[in-house]
Amino acid sequence: MENELVLTEKQIKEFGRIWFIFGNDGKKCTLFNHKLVQGFYQYRENRINDYRHGKKNMIENPSLGKEYAEKNGVTEECIAACELILSNP
């Protein structure tokens, strides 16, 4: 798979830790934060760009709009946490 990665045990442990913050009904959970972290933790997929563009597309879609995107979209804080884990093998 194109987006598949090899993660170190340390990275897997860190994705598990942030799973309870940005996913799994954590205090900063949104639908797409959940899916982004789940992708790293369970499926070893890097979908940061897909979710970043997806939020932009939701905002521009008249049937979804900015309110939906803010409630459900991936947050820059979640992306930054994922990128930090990826940069520290």
Side-chain angles (χ1 to χ4, degrees), residues 2-3 6 14 16-17 22-23 25 28 32 36 45 48 61 64 74 77 81 84 86:
E2 174 185 326
N3 294 320
V6 176
E14 284 299 305
R17 184 184 64 76
F22 294 104
D25 291 326
K28 297 181 180 183
F32 290 107
L36 178 63
E45 292 179 339
I48 288 175
N61 183 327
L64 299 175
V74 69
E77 184 179 13
L84 181 62
L86 292 174

Side-chain angles (χ1 to χ4, degrees), residues 49-83:
N49 288 330
D50 296 336
Y51 285 109
R52 184 178 273 145
H53 294 298
K55 183 174 181 180
K56 181 179 179 285
N57 291 340
M58 282 191 281
I59 290 169
E60 294 172 356
N61 183 327
S63 65
L64 299 175
K66 186 175 182 176
E67 185 177 323
Y68 181 87
E70 292 302 320
K71 180 180 178 192
N72 295 292
V74 69
T75 63
E76 287 302 318
E77 184 179 13
C78 181
I79 289 172
C82 292
E83 288 175 333

